[in-house]
Amino acid sequence: MQSGLIDSLKGIVGAEHVLTSQEDLLCYSYDATPGFSHMPEAVVMPGTADEVAKVLAAANEAKIPVYPRGSGTNLSAGTVPLKGGIVLLMTRMNKIVEIDTANLIAVAEPGVVVGDLNKAVEEFGLIYPPDPGTVATATLGGTVSENAGGLRGLKYGVSKHYVMGLEVVLADGRILNTGGKTVKDVAGYDLTKLFTGSEGTLGVITKITVKLMPAPEARRSMLATFAKLDDAGQAIAAIIAAKIIPATLEIMDNATVRTVEDYAKVGLPTDVEAVLLIEVDGIAEVVEKDSAKVVEVLKANNAAEIRVAQDAAERDKIWAARRAALPALAKLRPTTFVEDATVPRSKVPDMIRAVNEIAARHAVTIGTFGHAGDGNLHPTIVCDIRDDAEMDRVYKAMDEIFAVSLQLGGTLSGEHGIGVGKLRYMESQFGPAGMAAMRAIKKALDPNCILNPGKLVGECL
Ligand SMILES: Cc1cc2nc3c(=O)[nH]c(=O)nc-3n(C[C@H](O)[C@H](O)[C@H](O)COP(=O)(O)OP(=O)(O)OC[C@H]3O[C@@H](n4cnc5c(N)ncnc54)[C@H](O)[C@@H]3O)c2cc1C
């Protein structure tokens, strides 16, 4: 990058908001995804949409790549500056602009941490439902750009179900606004949905209008163990068939249960094939009725043991088991890949069985847990990235896991996005025509291919 451009960037955002030392650049050369890193040439921290516009206009003119970044917690190498250039760090833009209780809407800048938004709306009896495991660190801009979900996805959906409007800076520095505060708005192409989940490849989001929901009046958590995986699978389908949509319906397979028990000693039997963790929420009377019905369904589907939380402490104990799943697996080996192959919920047992068979055949360690109610599983591969022979087997196992999820009618990603890690499978899901359509959109909005180049749709041809 020319030093003249660095000087221009300093002129736009202030010299203290442009980092160029090797130590600083190293910190922004990677994110939460194992296996990918590359040094940027500068880290630029804009404070306003106008500054973002000027930075992009300058980078576009010089054809320098720009990688938007929130907290860097994504699991698809979405913020890794693979071609050098500029990391555009959005965390200075962290104001909650408005909480509009008449319209149940919040307007916020992209650097607001999702947990902070939730704390701010809580005092009005409201929630912003998308709740990734990283809710205490991930930014609103990052979660909207990844279309992030979380534990409550079954009932509440993912980020795209809450984004009502966006302010976006295009690659050439023009600013556009999409959507707004009206629930009904069918004018034109749905640009709000297009930019949501676009992983920083189409524009830089500088303001976000989101829908809020009334906080549930009551919640009830349950845990059930199953000797047979198929019974757990039947129970998942039967709960939904009983017309109960739990806020959360999670599964842990045997490998995960054993690891969690070894790590956290939460009193789980280690010989079961699956554990389900369930939470229903809503109006107190409905929660009472629904939780009784869920217990009936669990019994009818051969649950070996059922625990129903009677108070907050018991609820915390149940969820401590689920929260321990990732740290417990991650502790086993130096490297952890959390995948998010997703299938229709009726196919969850088939998917878990297939993952176990793939793990055994390639001699790799995989624990599977995840959001069973919405079919969004996290086969978690633990390995050592320094061991080439093992990594060869790991990457073969990954290829097969994603092939099976597509064969079962699923998708490459339920919530983590594509980035670079899953790029090689995209054509299998979308076909040549689908890929051509997505690349045409990229080219129309970012003709010089400066925004997160090489991600989501691959190289600009
Ligand atoms: C332990 C762990 C648990 C996790 N659990 C979940 C989970 O339950 N559910 C889930 O969905 N995800 C989960 N994630 C993944 C991750 O937290 C999410 O992808 C989150 O949305 C990333 O937010 P971020 O602020 O860190 O974004 P970043 O990682 O900084 O960026 C994510 C993407 O958005 C782009 N981007 C960032 N800001 C902007 C902007 N303003 N404009 C345009 N593009 C932008 C980036 O270029 C990148 O492509 C987990 C990750 C970890 C490490």
Side-chain angles (χ1 to χ4, degrees):
M1 195 188 298
Q2 305 279 336
S3 61
L5 179 57
I6 299 273
D7 289 340
S8 306
L9 296 171
K10 287 180 179 169
I12 297 166
V13 297
E16 68 279 28
H17 299 308
V18 178
L19 310 177
T20 51
S21 78
Q22 289 300 297
E23 295 84 343
D24 283 331
L25 297 181
L26 183 65
C27 297
Y28 296 95
S29 64
Y30 62 93
D31 57 26
T33 323
F36 297 93
S37 72
H38 195 285
M39 291 286 266
E41 288 156 273
V43 177
V44 178
M45 298 177 275
T48 64
D50 193 43
E51 287 180 8
V52 173
K54 288 181 177 145
V55 170
L56 290 194
N60 194 44
E61 176 77 28
K63 297 195 171 54
I64 297 292
V66 177
Y67 299 86
R69 179 174 172 124
S71 294
T73 68
N74 77 89
L75 295 166
S76 49
T79 57
V80 180
L82 289 173
K83 295 178 196 291
I86 298 167
V87 166
L88 193 68
L89 186 59
M90 301 301 291
T91 48
R92 272 183 72 216
M93 294 183 64
N94 63 356
K95 280 187 236 28
I96 296 175
V97 179
E98 186 185 2
I99 297 173
D100 175 349
T101 53
N103 287 304
L104 295 188
I105 274 169
V107 181
E109 291 183 337
V112 169
V113 168
V114 176
D116 292 343
L117 177 62
N118 256 312
K119 267 184 225 130
V121 302
E122 216 171 61
E123 68 177 274
F124 301 100
L126 299 168
I127 56 168
Y128 174 64
D131 63 339
T134 44
V135 69
T137 41
T139 62
L140 194 58
T143 51
V144 167
S145 301
E146 286 291 353
N147 217 337
L151 258 65
R152 301 190 281 214
L154 171 60
K155 180 170 177 178
Y156 292 101
V158 295
S159 298
K160 69 180 172 187
H161 299 116
Y162 296 90
V163 182
M164 298 187 65
L166 293 170
E167 177 185 81
V168 181
V169 182
L170 296 176
D172 61 7
R174 283 176 301 158
I175 299 180
L176 75 81
N177 283 281
T178 76
K181 283 188 175 183
T182 58
V183 174
K184 290 175 112 176
D185 178 358
V186 299
Y189 292 136
D190 194 340
L191 294 178
T192 308
K193 285 265 192 311
L194 176 65
F195 286 104
T196 302
S198 64
E199 301 184 17
T201 61
L202 299 181
V204 176
I205 297 169
T206 46
K207 205 187 290 170
I208 303 161
T209 301
V210 292
K211 179 166 79 173
L212 303 171
M213 299 288 284
E217 184 184 299
R219 302 183 287 201
R220 177 65 56 85
S221 297
M222 289 154 273
L223 178 150
T225 64
F226 289 86
K228 293 273 159 264
L229 178 61
D230 279 330
D231 285 336
Q234 289 296 338
I236 295 165
I239 290 168
I240 311 289
K243 300 182 189 63
I244 296 164
I245 309 292
T248 306
L249 176 38
E250 299 283 303
I251 193 165
M252 296 194 294
D253 75 346
N254 174 265
T256 309
V257 170
R258 279 187 285 118
T259 314
V260 163
E261 193 48 33
D262 187 48
Y263 170 80
K265 308 271 181 289
V266 283
L268 294 175
T270 50
D271 56 346
V272 294
E273 283 192 5
V275 167
L276 295 185
L277 305 103
I278 305 144
E279 183 164 282
V280 289
D281 72 0
I283 296 165
E285 292 80 4
V286 175
V287 167
E288 204 54 44
K289 202 166 134 249
D290 281 357
S291 51
K293 192 79 195 269
V294 169
V295 170
E296 255 177 55
V297 172
L298 294 170
K299 281 185 186 155
N301 286 281
N302 307 320
E305 186 199 344
I306 301 170
R307 298 180 199 169
V308 181
Q310 299 302 330
D311 54 31
E314 286 182 20
R315 174 180 185 266
D316 283 351
K317 210 169 158 199
I318 285 179
W319 291 106
R322 169 62 180 85
R323 273 197 302 274
L326 185 55
L329 286 164
K331 201 167 155 271
L332 295 178
R333 301 292 307 281
T335 311
T336 308
F337 288 93
V338 189
E339 297 300 354
D340 73 329
T342 300
V343 292
R345 77 169 69 90
S346 61
K347 302 288 186 191
V348 165
D350 292 346
M351 187 68 198
I352 292 180
R353 246 191 306 277
V355 170
N356 290 342
E357 187 274 319
I358 291 166
R361 192 155 35 78
H362 291 289
V364 295
T365 306
I366 309 182
T368 300
F369 61 92
H371 321 303
D374 47 43
N376 179 201
L377 295 174
H378 294 310
T380 299
I381 308 179
V382 291
C383 52
D384 185 343
I385 205 157
R386 296 162 300 185
D387 180 339
D388 289 344
E390 183 181 18
M391 290 314 294
D392 196 39
R393 300 198 307 278
V394 164
Y395 290 124
K396 282 193 182 119
M398 268 183 206
D399 290 351
E400 290 181 22
I401 288 171
F402 286 109
V404 171
S405 78
L406 293 182
Q407 276 159 22
L408 291 173
T411 172
L412 297 174
S413 178
E415 56 182 19
H416 292 171
I418 299 301
V420 255
K422 283 181 252 180
L423 199 50
R424 61 189 184 279
Y425 314 124
M426 280 288 276
E427 187 139 345
S428 340
Q429 177 160 345
F430 292 96
M435 290 309 293
M438 283 193 275
R439 288 198 179 112
I441 292 169
K442 167 77 177 163
K443 195 155 193 176
L445 291 176
D446 179 16
N448 290 333
C449 204
I450 62 157
L451 286 172
N452 222 345
K455 313 279 177 71
L456 185 60
V457 291
E459 297 303 325
C460 300
L461 303 171

Short mmCIF file of all heavy atoms in Angstrom, two decimals, residues 32 68-75 78-79 90 110 131-134 138-139 141-143 145-146 148-150 199-200 203-205 326 371 415-416 452, ligand 1:
data_model
loop_
_atom_site.label_atom_id
_atom_site.label_comp_id
_atom_site.label_asym_id
_atom_site.label_seq_id
_atom_site.Cartn_x
_atom_site.Cartn_y
_atom_site.Cartn_z
N ALA A 32 -11.49 -16.03 14.90
CA ALA A 32 -11.72 -17.23 15.71
C ALA A 32 -11.61 -18.54 14.91
O ALA A 32 -11.75 -19.62 15.47
CB ALA A 32 -13.10 -17.14 16.37
N PRO A 68 -14.09 -5.62 6.44
CA PRO A 68 -14.81 -5.11 7.61
C PRO A 68 -14.67 -6.10 8.76
O PRO A 68 -14.64 -7.31 8.54
CB PRO A 68 -16.27 -5.05 7.13
CG PRO A 68 -16.23 -5.21 5.65
CD PRO A 68 -14.99 -5.94 5.32
N ARG A 69 -14.60 -5.58 9.99
CA ARG A 69 -14.43 -6.46 11.15
C ARG A 69 -15.17 -5.89 12.36
O ARG A 69 -15.12 -4.69 12.62
CB ARG A 69 -12.94 -6.58 11.46
CG ARG A 69 -12.65 -7.45 12.67
CD ARG A 69 -11.14 -7.65 12.83
NE ARG A 69 -10.85 -8.32 14.07
CZ ARG A 69 -10.16 -9.46 14.17
NH1 ARG A 69 -9.68 -10.05 13.12
NH2 ARG A 69 -9.95 -10.01 15.34
N GLY A 70 -15.87 -6.78 13.06
CA GLY A 70 -16.48 -6.42 14.35
C GLY A 70 -15.55 -6.93 15.44
O GLY A 70 -14.43 -6.45 15.61
N SER A 71 -15.99 -8.00 16.15
CA SER A 71 -15.16 -8.54 17.22
C SER A 71 -14.30 -9.73 16.77
O SER A 71 -13.57 -10.29 17.58
CB SER A 71 -16.03 -8.96 18.40
OG SER A 71 -16.62 -7.82 18.96
N GLY A 72 -14.42 -10.13 15.51
CA GLY A 72 -13.57 -11.21 14.99
C GLY A 72 -13.88 -12.58 15.57
O GLY A 72 -13.02 -13.46 15.59
N THR A 73 -15.13 -12.80 16.01
CA THR A 73 -15.48 -14.11 16.60
C THR A 73 -16.05 -15.08 15.58
O THR A 73 -16.46 -16.19 15.95
CB THR A 73 -16.49 -13.96 17.75
OG1 THR A 73 -17.74 -13.53 17.21
CG2 THR A 73 -16.03 -12.97 18.81
N ASN A 74 -16.13 -14.68 14.30
CA ASN A 74 -16.76 -15.57 13.32
C ASN A 74 -15.93 -16.84 13.14
O ASN A 74 -14.73 -16.85 13.42
CB ASN A 74 -16.95 -14.85 11.99
CG ASN A 74 -15.65 -14.75 11.22
OD1 ASN A 74 -15.30 -15.63 10.44
ND2 ASN A 74 -14.90 -13.67 11.47
N LEU A 75 -16.61 -17.88 12.63
CA LEU A 75 -15.96 -19.19 12.52
C LEU A 75 -15.77 -19.58 11.05
O LEU A 75 -15.72 -20.76 10.73
CB LEU A 75 -16.81 -20.23 13.27
CG LEU A 75 -16.86 -20.00 14.78
CD1 LEU A 75 -17.97 -20.84 15.43
CD2 LEU A 75 -15.52 -20.31 15.43
N GLY A 78 -14.04 -15.01 8.11
CA GLY A 78 -14.65 -13.88 7.41
C GLY A 78 -13.88 -12.58 7.52
O GLY A 78 -14.02 -11.70 6.67
N THR A 79 -13.07 -12.42 8.56
CA THR A 79 -12.37 -11.13 8.70
C THR A 79 -10.88 -11.24 8.41
O THR A 79 -10.14 -10.26 8.56
CB THR A 79 -12.54 -10.58 10.14
OG1 THR A 79 -12.04 -11.56 11.05
CG2 THR A 79 -13.97 -10.29 10.48
N MET A 90 -14.88 -1.83 13.04
CA MET A 90 -16.09 -1.04 13.22
C MET A 90 -16.47 -0.81 14.69
O MET A 90 -17.53 -0.26 14.98
CB MET A 90 -17.26 -1.76 12.51
CG MET A 90 -17.03 -1.97 11.02
SD MET A 90 -16.77 -0.42 10.13
CE MET A 90 -18.40 0.31 10.24
N PRO A 110 -23.07 -0.39 14.18
CA PRO A 110 -22.66 -1.79 14.04
C PRO A 110 -21.74 -2.30 15.14
O PRO A 110 -21.68 -3.50 15.39
CB PRO A 110 -21.93 -1.82 12.70
CG PRO A 110 -21.54 -0.40 12.43
CD PRO A 110 -22.59 0.45 13.07
N ASP A 131 -29.03 -14.76 19.75
CA ASP A 131 -28.15 -14.87 20.92
C ASP A 131 -27.03 -15.89 20.68
O ASP A 131 -27.02 -16.99 21.26
CB ASP A 131 -28.95 -15.28 22.16
CG ASP A 131 -29.59 -16.64 22.01
OD1 ASP A 131 -29.77 -17.08 20.86
OD2 ASP A 131 -29.88 -17.28 23.03
N PRO A 132 -26.07 -15.55 19.81
CA PRO A 132 -24.96 -16.49 19.61
C PRO A 132 -24.22 -16.73 20.93
O PRO A 132 -24.33 -15.91 21.86
CB PRO A 132 -24.06 -15.77 18.60
CG PRO A 132 -24.44 -14.33 18.68
CD PRO A 132 -25.88 -14.30 19.07
N GLY A 133 -23.47 -17.84 20.99
CA GLY A 133 -22.70 -18.15 22.19
C GLY A 133 -21.76 -17.00 22.57
O GLY A 133 -21.34 -16.89 23.71
N THR A 134 -21.46 -16.15 21.60
CA THR A 134 -20.54 -15.03 21.81
C THR A 134 -21.28 -13.72 22.11
O THR A 134 -20.74 -12.64 21.86
CB THR A 134 -19.73 -14.82 20.52
OG1 THR A 134 -20.65 -14.91 19.44
CG2 THR A 134 -18.65 -15.85 20.38
N ALA A 138 -19.66 -10.48 20.52
CA ALA A 138 -19.95 -10.25 19.10
C ALA A 138 -20.72 -8.94 18.92
O ALA A 138 -21.51 -8.54 19.77
CB ALA A 138 -20.77 -11.41 18.55
N THR A 139 -20.45 -8.27 17.79
CA THR A 139 -21.11 -6.99 17.52
C THR A 139 -22.39 -7.19 16.71
O THR A 139 -22.55 -8.22 16.03
CB THR A 139 -20.18 -6.07 16.71
OG1 THR A 139 -19.91 -6.71 15.44
CG2 THR A 139 -18.87 -5.80 17.44
N GLY A 141 -23.12 -5.48 14.07
CA GLY A 141 -22.72 -5.47 12.65
C GLY A 141 -22.22 -6.84 12.21
O GLY A 141 -22.57 -7.32 11.12
N GLY A 142 -21.41 -7.48 13.05
CA GLY A 142 -20.88 -8.81 12.71
C GLY A 142 -21.98 -9.85 12.68
O GLY A 142 -22.02 -10.69 11.78
N THR A 143 -22.90 -9.79 13.64
CA THR A 143 -23.96 -10.81 13.68
C THR A 143 -24.93 -10.63 12.51
O THR A 143 -25.39 -11.61 11.92
CB THR A 143 -24.73 -10.78 15.02
OG1 THR A 143 -25.16 -9.45 15.29
CG2 THR A 143 -23.89 -11.28 16.17
N SER A 145 -24.13 -9.30 9.63
CA SER A 145 -23.39 -9.66 8.41
C SER A 145 -23.21 -11.17 8.28
O SER A 145 -23.08 -11.68 7.17
CB SER A 145 -22.02 -8.99 8.40
OG SER A 145 -22.19 -7.60 8.45
N GLU A 146 -23.20 -11.89 9.42
CA GLU A 146 -23.12 -13.36 9.37
C GLU A 146 -24.49 -14.02 9.41
O GLU A 146 -24.60 -15.23 9.31
CB GLU A 146 -22.31 -13.90 10.57
CG GLU A 146 -20.83 -13.70 10.51
CD GLU A 146 -20.14 -14.52 9.44
OE1 GLU A 146 -20.77 -15.37 8.79
OE2 GLU A 146 -18.94 -14.28 9.25
N ALA A 148 -26.25 -14.31 12.10
CA ALA A 148 -26.04 -15.20 13.23
C ALA A 148 -27.35 -15.60 13.90
O ALA A 148 -28.34 -14.88 13.85
CB ALA A 148 -25.13 -14.51 14.26
N GLY A 149 -27.31 -16.76 14.53
CA GLY A 149 -28.47 -17.27 15.27
C GLY A 149 -28.09 -17.50 16.71
O GLY A 149 -27.49 -16.66 17.34
N GLY A 150 -28.40 -18.69 17.19
CA GLY A 150 -28.08 -19.01 18.59
C GLY A 150 -29.02 -20.06 19.13
O GLY A 150 -29.70 -20.75 18.37
N GLU A 199 -21.79 -11.02 4.69
CA GLU A 199 -20.43 -11.27 5.19
C GLU A 199 -19.41 -10.20 4.76
O GLU A 199 -18.26 -10.51 4.45
CB GLU A 199 -19.97 -12.67 4.77
CG GLU A 199 -20.88 -13.79 5.30
CD GLU A 199 -20.36 -15.19 4.98
OE1 GLU A 199 -19.19 -15.34 4.64
OE2 GLU A 199 -21.17 -16.13 5.08
N GLY A 200 -19.86 -8.97 4.68
CA GLY A 200 -18.94 -7.87 4.37
C GLY A 200 -18.46 -7.88 2.93
O GLY A 200 -17.47 -7.21 2.61
N GLY A 203 -21.04 -4.49 1.02
CA GLY A 203 -21.09 -3.12 1.54
C GLY A 203 -20.72 -3.15 3.01
O GLY A 203 -20.64 -4.23 3.61
N VAL A 204 -20.50 -1.97 3.57
CA VAL A 204 -20.18 -1.89 5.00
C VAL A 204 -21.40 -1.31 5.72
O VAL A 204 -21.87 -0.22 5.38
CB VAL A 204 -18.93 -1.02 5.25
CG1 VAL A 204 -18.68 -0.87 6.75
CG2 VAL A 204 -17.73 -1.63 4.56
N ILE A 205 -21.91 -2.05 6.68
CA ILE A 205 -23.12 -1.65 7.40
C ILE A 205 -22.73 -0.62 8.47
O ILE A 205 -21.84 -0.88 9.29
CB ILE A 205 -23.79 -2.88 8.05
CG1 ILE A 205 -24.25 -3.85 6.95
CG2 ILE A 205 -24.95 -2.46 8.94
CD1 ILE A 205 -24.69 -5.20 7.45
N LEU A 326 -18.77 -26.94 24.28
CA LEU A 326 -17.65 -26.49 23.44
C LEU A 326 -16.33 -26.41 24.22
O LEU A 326 -15.32 -26.99 23.79
CB LEU A 326 -18.00 -25.17 22.75
CG LEU A 326 -16.98 -24.66 21.75
CD1 LEU A 326 -16.66 -25.71 20.69
CD2 LEU A 326 -17.47 -23.39 21.07
N HIS A 371 -28.33 -27.30 17.94
CA HIS A 371 -29.71 -26.83 18.05
C HIS A 371 -30.61 -27.82 17.30
O HIS A 371 -31.02 -27.57 16.17
CB HIS A 371 -29.80 -25.42 17.48
CG HIS A 371 -28.60 -24.55 17.83
ND1 HIS A 371 -28.22 -24.33 19.13
CD2 HIS A 371 -27.68 -23.91 17.07
CE1 HIS A 371 -27.13 -23.56 19.15
NE2 HIS A 371 -26.79 -23.30 17.90
N GLU A 415 -25.83 -20.97 10.63
CA GLU A 415 -25.64 -19.68 11.31
C GLU A 415 -24.22 -19.12 11.24
O GLU A 415 -24.01 -17.96 11.53
CB GLU A 415 -26.08 -19.77 12.78
CG GLU A 415 -25.39 -20.89 13.56
CD GLU A 415 -25.86 -21.01 15.01
OE1 GLU A 415 -26.94 -20.50 15.34
OE2 GLU A 415 -25.12 -21.61 15.81
N HIS A 416 -23.23 -19.93 10.84
CA HIS A 416 -21.85 -19.44 10.89
C HIS A 416 -21.37 -18.79 9.60
O HIS A 416 -20.29 -18.21 9.56
CB HIS A 416 -20.88 -20.59 11.22
CG HIS A 416 -21.02 -21.11 12.62
ND1 HIS A 416 -20.39 -22.23 13.07
CD2 HIS A 416 -21.73 -20.64 13.67
CE1 HIS A 416 -20.71 -22.45 14.35
NE2 HIS A 416 -21.53 -21.50 14.72
N ASN A 452 -13.90 -7.56 1.12
CA ASN A 452 -13.72 -8.94 1.55
C ASN A 452 -13.51 -9.89 0.37
O ASN A 452 -14.20 -10.91 0.24
CB ASN A 452 -14.92 -9.39 2.40
CG ASN A 452 -14.47 -10.19 3.61
OD1 ASN A 452 -13.33 -10.65 3.67
ND2 ASN A 452 -15.37 -10.40 4.55
C1 LIG B 1 -17.22 -19.91 21.03
C2 LIG B 1 -18.07 -19.40 19.89
C3 LIG B 1 -19.44 -19.62 19.93
C4 LIG B 1 -20.23 -19.15 18.87
N1 LIG B 1 -21.58 -19.38 18.91
C5 LIG B 1 -22.36 -18.96 17.90
C6 LIG B 1 -23.77 -19.23 17.90
O1 LIG B 1 -24.32 -19.81 18.84
N2 LIG B 1 -24.49 -18.79 16.84
C7 LIG B 1 -23.92 -18.12 15.80
O2 LIG B 1 -24.63 -17.75 14.87
N3 LIG B 1 -22.58 -17.86 15.76
C8 LIG B 1 -21.80 -18.25 16.78
N4 LIG B 1 -20.46 -18.00 16.75
C9 LIG B 1 -19.87 -17.27 15.60
C10 LIG B 1 -19.72 -15.73 15.78
O3 LIG B 1 -19.79 -15.34 17.11
C11 LIG B 1 -20.75 -15.02 14.94
O4 LIG B 1 -20.48 -15.26 13.57
C12 LIG B 1 -20.84 -13.50 15.13
O5 LIG B 1 -21.90 -13.07 14.35
C13 LIG B 1 -19.62 -12.71 14.71
O6 LIG B 1 -19.72 -11.37 15.21
P1 LIG B 1 -18.42 -10.45 15.25
O7 LIG B 1 -18.77 -9.12 15.76
O8 LIG B 1 -17.34 -11.16 15.97
O9 LIG B 1 -18.11 -10.35 13.70
P2 LIG B 1 -16.73 -10.57 12.92
O10 LIG B 1 -16.23 -11.94 13.19
O11 LIG B 1 -15.81 -9.44 13.20
O12 LIG B 1 -17.24 -10.46 11.44
C14 LIG B 1 -18.12 -11.40 10.88
C15 LIG B 1 -18.36 -11.10 9.40
O13 LIG B 1 -19.10 -9.90 9.27
C16 LIG B 1 -18.39 -8.94 8.49
N5 LIG B 1 -18.64 -7.65 9.13
C17 LIG B 1 -18.41 -7.30 10.43
N6 LIG B 1 -18.86 -6.07 10.65
C18 LIG B 1 -19.39 -5.62 9.49
C19 LIG B 1 -20.03 -4.41 9.08
N7 LIG B 1 -20.25 -3.41 9.92
N8 LIG B 1 -20.44 -4.30 7.80
C20 LIG B 1 -20.26 -5.31 6.93
N9 LIG B 1 -19.67 -6.46 7.25
C21 LIG B 1 -19.25 -6.62 8.52
C22 LIG B 1 -16.95 -9.40 8.50
O14 LIG B 1 -16.28 -8.98 7.32
C23 LIG B 1 -17.10 -10.90 8.57
O15 LIG B 1 -17.31 -11.43 7.30
C24 LIG B 1 -19.63 -18.45 17.78
C25 LIG B 1 -18.25 -18.24 17.77
C26 LIG B 1 -17.47 -18.70 18.80
C27 LIG B 1 -15.99 -18.43 18.77
#
